[in-house]
Amino acid sequence: MSLFSEVPQAAPVAVFKLTQDFNNDQFPNKVNLGVGAYRTDEGQPWVLPVVKKVEKIIVHDDRLNHEYLPILGLPEFRSSASKIVLGDNSPAIQENRVGAVQCLGGTGALKIGAEFLRRFYNGSNNTKTPIYVSAPTWENHNAVFSSAGFEDVRPYRYWDAEKRGLDLAGFLGDLESCPEHSVFVLHACAHNPTGTDPTQEQWKQIAEVMMRRKLFAFFDSAYQGFASGSLEKDAWAVRYFVSSGFEMFCAQSFSKNFGLYNERVGNLTVVARDADNLKRVLSQMEKIVRITWSNPPSQGARIVTITLTSPELFSEWQENVKTMANRVLLMRSQLKAKLQALGTPGTWDHITNQIGMFSFTGLNPKQVEYLVKEKHIYLMASSRINMCGLTTKNIDYVAESIHEAVTKVQ
Amino acid sequence: MSLFSDVPQAPPVAVFKLTADFREDTHPQKVNLGVGAYRTDDCQPWVLPVVKKVERLIVEDESLNHEYLPILGLPEFRSAASKVALGDDSPAIKENRVGGVQALGGTGALRIGAEFLRRWYNGVNNAATPVYVSAPTWENHNGVFADAGFKDIRPYHYWDAAQRGLDLTGFLDDLEKAPEYSIFVLHACAHNPTGTDPTQEEWKQIAEVMKRRKLYVFFDSAYQGFASGSLEKDAWAIRFFVSEGFELFIAQSFSKNFGLYNERVGNLTVVSKDNENLTRVLSQMEKIVRTTWSNPPSQGARIVSKTLNSPELFEEWKGNVKTMADRVLLMRDQLKAKLQALGTPGTWDHITQQIGMFSFTGLTPKQVEYMIKEKHVYLMASGRINMCGLTSKNIDYVAQSIHEAVTKVQ
């Protein structure tokens, strides 16, 4: 008899199960449009040239050792990461009211932020504060906040399936009707999974309601630079909220824009009213980090820091990021063009209107099933595709397959 | 007004505060006997030669990329790590009932194990299950289990201050009186902070009671190889418990024995009754990891995995470990000899009887304060010293200072 006889088998994480099925598939023309990682036009992972260069610099630097980092992380990483999202000339940074916690990717940053808010926001240990996540959202948002102790995680309207665009009226409606002090998880850019972002005008409307109704802004920024190719453009919403005077969090991930997925490089940027409040907040976050992972891993943070703090390497990085963003934009153009050329029923403008790694194709579950089972094209049940999975070699096959799915399957 | 006006300032973690004070101290003969990291005889951090070698191999290896690791970590790391703890010929491994979860150092491994136990052990979500930690223990044990949700964390008798040794009677008594199914956090070797381990005979007695009273075994193994210089010797207790048929967890850290403190290399080894139970347990641990850090960092795990899985590098690593262990043993011998030569009141045998990085000197709080304030020798308020902080250059000063503290201060 085992102590663990009653432990149920947990369901696998959907996106990894998809990749596993893809790996097991023998079909020669199979395509993986599931997991969110960049691929070259040869369908290969890409280690950014600037990363390779900096890794060599690190290994040859005999001044570096492996002593524990501070609990909050490598100081130069934290400051340069926050600077990247808030801007070089950020008044908030100049006012010494911006701080950060180096975390384990975007997930770790969300986790630390969530744990802090549950303990100290809107009262003490107020697990009833509603947390709003977009409908739909990244599949892990809900679980990160509930495992931090929040009991009330709710959707806010976001994706309008009929229009294939943003349901702004629904979004604003939820902002107006939710309890004051609710926490809203906002995607800074390149919304996952829809690829649909509010325009600047729409962000202004959102911010106005949030400020008036005292709602907490918790940004998830996993694609800065990767979405449009421009770091500034992709950070517009975050910077606008800061300039509007919000105290807020921004969970940053460097997994995608540095291609450093497996080194777990993230940063929780904290914008507070002033340095004194910031200090107390960070001291409590330190306690949370200590009992979770003690102190963060060094390698990825060193790579990012050296890159961001050297003008030459920084430029090289921006070029590498642009390379990725441009390939995605090219695939978007081509996919739309091919579907239009095939005369595939429906409108396909959303493919080029959407931004970032993902596109919400709008295919229904049966059509998705058809693609996976009959055509060996793997995408999420939600109809989300990773544009990075498209290449000049497979795009015709994918376009034709979508055409078949739409025309044959209702 | 800030949303965070009522957030209190958290006190700093004691051991890091000690090092911060040490850094600011300008006294030319200052000595840091606080934080637990290895130092060379020149009082410098030491990057193990085998680590430097393997880092170069990794950076030159064009076949490696930065794609996400599986949620449970690098497979070759997990199996090699568990093998190091349980032994090459471990029957449990051959029986396919051993698994591993790559975690963020020892802290991360403890955390995942604690979260799992709180959800699934001794009922479902039984936050009332008592968790016993040694008196004294590593200062973070309590916090990790408390934050995982356990409400009842208690001390078990361990250190006998009068005898300066193990309080076996008190320990066994607590085992007999603990509620059935209580969880006990056991230090596999080189007990932190006392440096005092049970003998093999004493471990056998402990195991007998634990089995009879259905107590859960959760080993913390942060010093394998580092303590005695022998991997096998330092794993004796773990292997004995496994051979006795316990289902148990082992939180392994490679921070000290690989000197990879800041790359956060840890492994939670799970020993289950059979493969079927193991599979379900790991599937639930995967869910916990996903909402904490998603998937673990690669660099440190790659270094350890390459080293453990290559016969030549493995031998070289063992040599490096012995270098560290031997220097600590030398410092122990010399400190005791010098105190005896000075005629310092009290017995000092415990310095050479204790094992691992730390020694519980037995100095009183006032004597500790004297050491810090008057002599600029920094040690923990508990009287714990890090033997690695001693060098051939400072050992006379330290011995002299201890002598003064003991003779001048009560």
Side-chain angles (χ1 to χ4, degrees):
Chain A
M1 259 308 279
S2 166
L3 293 168
F4 304 118
S5 310
E6 307 299 308
V7 175
Q9 176 74 24
V13 176
V15 69
F16 297 124
K17 171 78 170 56
L18 192 76
T19 289
Q20 212 185 345
D21 292 345
F22 169 83
N23 287 339
N24 292 337
D25 190 333
Q26 310 286 340
F27 191 78
N29 287 349
K30 63 181 182 177
V31 183
N32 187 357
L33 301 180
V35 106
Y38 179 78
R39 291 286 175 268
T40 63
D41 195 57
E42 280 78 45
Q44 292 302 311
W46 193 49
V47 176
L48 274 57
V50 73
V51 166
K52 216 60 217 123
K53 184 183 281 191
V54 174
E55 285 173 326
K56 293 194 155 98
I57 292 173
I58 288 171
V59 91
H60 289 115
D61 188 345
D62 287 325
R63 299 165 304 171
L64 297 176
N65 58 42
H66 286 295
E67 294 302 290
Y68 287 122
L69 287 181
I71 297 176
L72 294 180
L74 187 64
E76 310 84 72
F77 168 79
R78 296 159 57 209
S79 55
S80 52
S82 293
K83 226 167 79 160
I84 269 285
V85 69
L86 299 191
D88 280 341
N89 302 321
S90 162
I93 292 180
Q94 276 153 19
E95 289 157 20
N96 286 319
R97 56 192 190 87
V98 174
V101 182
Q102 179 191 337
C103 292
L104 279 283
T107 302
L110 288 163
K111 170 78 174 179
I112 298 305
E115 291 281 352
F116 173 86
L117 289 174
R118 191 262 297 157
R119 286 161 172 71
F120 293 109
Y121 173 71
N122 194 27
S124 191
N125 209 35
N126 187 353
T127 58
K128 305 232 181 296
T129 300
I131 307 292
Y132 282 82
V133 298
S134 63
T137 193
W138 180 47
E139 124 285 332
N140 207 18
H141 275 149
N142 204 306
V144 169
F145 281 86
S146 17
S147 83
F150 285 106
E151 295 171 15
D152 187 357
V153 183
R154 317 175 177 182
Y156 61 87
R157 282 168 287 174
Y158 194 83
W159 173 248
D160 183 329
E162 285 187 44
K163 281 171 41 180
R164 284 189 189 165
L166 179 68
D167 176 7
L168 183 67
F171 190 172
L172 293 173
D174 287 335
L175 291 171
E176 292 284 6
S177 62
C178 70
E180 280 194 347
H181 305 296
S182 295
V183 175
F184 274 72
V185 180
L186 308 170
H187 297 232
C189 71
H191 183 270
N192 177 2
T194 69
T196 299
D197 293 339
T199 61
Q200 290 185 6
E201 278 315 304
Q202 292 170 335
W203 274 122
K204 287 178 179 174
Q205 293 180 66
I206 292 161
E208 189 272 322
V209 184
M210 289 188 72
M211 177 73 76
R212 178 166 36 82
R213 307 213 57 253
K214 305 179 177 46
L215 307 174
F216 190 83
F218 197 151
F219 275 100
D220 184 343
S221 175
Y223 302 99
Q224 190 187 358
F226 196 101
S228 70
S230 155
L231 295 166
E232 289 70 32
K233 236 172 144 191
D234 292 346
W236 187 88
V238 175
R239 296 179 190 186
Y240 178 74
F241 271 66
V242 173
S243 69
S244 297
F246 284 89
E247 286 183 296
M248 47 183 260
F249 292 170
C250 181
Q252 303 169 260
S253 168
F254 292 91
S255 291
K256 282 81 173 176
N257 59 16
F258 262 85
L260 281 172
Y261 309 92
N262 72 6
E263 301 296 358
R264 315 310 295 122
V265 202
N267 193 51
L268 177 68
T269 285
V270 176
V271 183
R273 187 65 65 217
D274 54 44
D276 179 65
N277 278 288
L278 176 70
K279 185 162 149 299
R280 283 180 282 103
V281 169
L282 291 179
S283 78
Q284 292 294 345
M285 287 180 171
E286 207 175 88
K287 279 187 73 169
I288 297 167
V289 168
R290 176 71 172 157
I291 50 170
T292 312
W293 55 66
S294 244
N295 41 81
S298 167
Q299 180 71 354
R302 272 179 175 161
I303 294 170
V304 171
T305 303
I306 291 172
T307 307
L308 294 183
T309 55
S310 142
E312 275 177 40
L313 295 170
F314 182 71
S315 290
E316 193 176 337
W317 171 58
Q318 284 180 302
E319 283 310 306
N320 290 171
V321 172
K322 240 181 161 300
T323 296
M324 294 191 285
N326 285 342
R327 198 179 94 67
V328 168
L329 289 167
L330 182 65
M331 290 299 102
R332 286 186 180 279
S333 292
Q334 291 191 352
L335 182 61
K336 175 171 109 173
K338 287 181 192 293
L339 290 171
Q340 285 174 340
L342 285 167
T344 309
T347 55
W348 300 101
D349 290 333
H350 58 287
I351 289 182
T352 46
N353 288 338
Q354 288 164 6
I355 192 171
M357 205 178 264
F358 302 116
S359 180
F360 233 35
T361 54
L363 298 173
N364 65 42
K366 282 192 155 61
Q367 291 165 340
V368 169
E369 201 185 341
Y370 177 86
L371 282 180
V372 176
K373 291 207 155 65
E374 304 302 323
K375 310 302 293 181
H376 307 271
I377 293 174
Y378 291 76
L379 66 160
M380 303 301 290
S382 62
S383 87
R384 184 193 89 170
I385 60 173
N386 178 6
M387 301 306 295
C388 301
L390 293 174
T391 70
T392 51
K393 295 165 196 57
N394 69 22
I395 196 165
D396 284 316
Y397 178 66
V398 172
E400 278 153 22
S401 302
I402 291 176
H403 184 83
E404 276 183 43
V406 171
T407 50
K408 283 187 186 177
V409 182
Q410 305 312 309
Chain B
M1 261 307 280
S2 167
L3 295 169
F4 307 120
S5 308
D6 295 333
V7 175
Q9 177 73 24
V13 175
V15 69
F16 297 124
K17 172 77 171 57
L18 192 77
T19 290
D21 292 344
F22 169 81
R23 288 219 174 96
E24 286 173 22
D25 189 332
T26 51
H27 194 268
Q29 283 177 298
K30 64 179 182 177
V31 182
N32 187 357
L33 300 181
V35 104
Y38 179 78
R39 293 285 176 268
T40 63
D41 196 60
D42 297 306
C43 219
Q44 291 302 310
W46 194 48
V47 177
L48 274 57
V50 73
V51 166
K52 210 73 208 115
K53 183 184 280 191
V54 174
E55 284 173 325
R56 294 206 157 96
L57 290 173
I58 288 172
V59 92
E60 301 299 332
D61 187 344
E62 301 285 322
S63 73
L64 297 177
N65 59 41
H66 285 296
E67 293 302 291
Y68 287 122
L69 286 181
I71 297 175
L72 294 181
L74 187 65
E76 316 86 83
F77 166 78
R78 296 158 58 205
S79 55
S82 294
K83 225 166 79 161
V84 156
L86 301 191
D88 280 340
D89 302 320
S90 163
I93 292 181
K94 293 195 166 95
E95 289 158 20
N96 283 319
R97 54 191 189 87
V98 173
V101 179
Q102 181 189 336
L104 278 282
T107 301
L110 287 163
R111 183 63 190 240
I112 299 303
E115 291 280 354
F116 174 86
L117 290 173
R118 192 263 297 157
R119 284 164 173 69
W120 302 110
Y121 172 70
N122 195 26
V124 175
N125 209 34
N126 188 353
T129 300
V131 178
Y132 283 81
V133 298
S134 63
T137 194
W138 179 48
E139 124 282 332
N140 208 19
H141 275 148
N142 205 304
V144 169
F145 280 85
D147 205 59
F150 286 104
K151 304 270 179 255
D152 186 356
I153 300 172
R154 316 176 179 184
Y156 59 86
H157 286 87
Y158 194 84
W159 173 248
D160 184 331
Q163 280 190 31
R164 285 188 188 167
L166 179 69
D167 177 6
L168 183 68
T169 310
F171 190 173
L172 293 173
D173 197 52
D174 285 333
L175 290 170
E176 292 285 3
K177 295 200 166 86
E180 282 193 344
Y181 303 108
S182 294
I183 296 164
F184 274 73
V185 180
L186 308 174
H187 297 231
C189 70
H191 183 272
N192 177 1
T194 70
T196 299
D197 294 337
T199 61
Q200 290 184 5
E201 278 316 303
E202 289 168 342
W203 274 123
K204 287 177 180 174
Q205 292 181 65
I206 292 161
E208 188 273 323
V209 185
M210 292 189 76
K211 187 185 288 195
R212 179 166 34 82
R213 307 218 55 258
K214 304 179 177 49
L215 305 173
Y216 193 81
V217 177
F218 198 151
F219 273 108
D220 184 343
S221 177
Y223 301 99
Q224 190 186 359
F226 196 101
S228 69
S230 155
L231 295 168
E232 290 71 31
K233 235 173 144 188
D234 291 345
W236 187 88
I238 287 172
R239 295 177 189 187
F240 176 71
F241 272 72
V242 172
S243 71
E244 287 291 297
F246 284 88
E247 289 184 294
L248 52 85
F249 290 171
I250 306 162
Q252 302 169 260
S253 168
F254 293 91
S255 291
K256 281 82 172 173
N257 59 16
F258 262 86
L260 280 173
Y261 308 92
N262 71 7
E263 301 295 359
R264 315 312 294 123
V265 203
N267 189 51
L268 177 68
T269 286
V270 176
V271 181
S272 199
K273 192 63 74 197
D274 54 43
N275 185 267
E276 203 266 324
N277 278 286
L278 176 70
T279 303
R280 282 181 285 102
V281 168
L282 291 179
S283 78
Q284 292 296 345
M285 288 182 170
E286 207 174 86
K287 277 186 76 167
I288 296 166
V289 169
R290 177 71 169 158
T291 62
T292 314
W293 53 68
S294 243
N295 42 80
S298 166
Q299 180 71 355
R302 272 179 175 161
I303 294 169
V304 172
S305 179
K306 258 185 123 49
T307 305
L308 295 182
N309 286 313
S310 142
E312 274 177 43
L313 295 170
F314 183 67
E315 285 307 307
E316 190 175 341
W317 172 58
K318 284 199 285 186
N320 290 172
V321 173
K322 220 170 171 310
T323 296
M324 294 189 287
D326 286 347
R327 196 179 97 65
V328 169
L329 289 167
L330 180 66
M331 291 299 102
R332 285 187 180 279
D333 275 341
Q334 290 191 353
L335 183 61
K336 175 172 111 173
K338 288 181 190 297
L339 290 171
Q340 285 174 341
L342 286 167
T344 310
T347 55
W348 300 101
D349 290 333
H350 58 286
I351 290 182
T352 47
Q353 282 161 1
Q354 288 163 5
I355 192 171
M357 204 178 264
F358 302 116
S359 181
F360 234 34
T361 54
L363 294 175
T364 68
K366 281 192 152 69
Q367 290 165 344
V368 169
E369 202 185 339
Y370 177 86
M371 294 282 286
I372 296 173
K373 292 207 152 69
E374 305 302 324
K375 310 303 296 182
H376 306 271
V377 175
Y378 289 74
L379 68 159
M380 302 302 290
S382 60
R384 183 191 91 169
I385 59 173
N386 178 5
M387 301 306 295
C388 302
L390 292 173
T391 71
S392 53
K393 295 165 196 57
N394 68 23
I395 196 165
D396 283 315
Y397 179 68
V398 172
Q400 184 62 42
S401 303
I402 292 174
H403 183 82
E404 279 183 41
V406 170
T407 50
K408 286 185 181 176
V409 182
Q410 302 317 310

